[in-house]
Amino acid sequence: RSFALEGDSTRWLGRTTAREMAAMLEGLLAGTYASKASSEAMVRILRRQFYASRLPQRIQFRASVAHKTGDWPPIAGNDVGIIFHPGWPSIVSVFTNQNTGDFFELEATLGRIAEQVIEHWK
């Protein structure tokens, strides 16, 4: 039943893409949508995300992450965020869908993606 709902876009409450979310985060960093003070406040809120099992999983002691998860375990486990590491911030947006594997492995994969981003740019 969950796969039917997840796969049927006519039943979704809303929809977006990983690319749209990355563009939104880029605009947030640039202050495109609100004042500088409001934009910084929004980033501070994203930095306080409770769940650290995805993008921050493997980098939380080397970089800070302002991010927002979205999920429907075990089918979908998304995370979009701004990784603040030496050099400049990187925006990462990962959406998953129709997962049939281990959900912990899905989360670990997102952590490995973030790790590769900071390794590549150091």
Side-chain angles (χ1 to χ4, degrees):
R1 188 171 124 176
S2 293
F3 276 110
L5 177 62
E6 184 78 14
D8 182 0
S9 63
T10 64
R11 298 180 64 194
W12 296 346
L13 297 175
R15 66 179 141 178
T16 189
T17 67
R19 182 173 295 184
E20 289 169 339
M21 292 305 297
M24 185 199 69
L25 291 174
E26 186 176 3
L28 184 62
L29 274 179
T32 302
Y33 308 118
S35 68
K36 181 178 179 182
S38 293
S39 297
E40 289 171 354
M42 287 184 262
V43 170
R44 280 194 306 275
I45 290 168
L46 290 172
R47 283 180 186 262
R48 293 193 312 253
Q49 166 62 271
F50 179 75
Y51 298 104
S53 59
R54 295 184 192 158
L55 290 177
Q57 183 188 89
R58 300 169 69 97
I59 62 170
Q60 57 190 337
F61 299 108
R62 295 185 283 162
S64 67
V65 183
H67 68 116
K68 176 66 180 98
T69 60
D71 53 37
W72 192 316
I75 299 162
N78 308 329
D79 205 353
V80 300
I82 306 163
I83 302 172
F84 295 93
H85 55 95
W88 57 80
S90 295
I91 294 172
V92 178
S93 183
V94 182
F95 280 25
T96 64
N97 191 4
Q98 303 294 333
N99 177 53
T100 57
D102 183 287
F103 196 72
F104 293 110
E105 181 57 31
L106 181 149
E107 291 186 314
T109 299
L110 273 64
R112 287 191 292 274
I113 290 169
E115 184 176 47
Q116 288 182 10
V117 166
I118 66 170
E119 290 296 319
H120 178 78
W121 291 109
K122 71 177 177 180

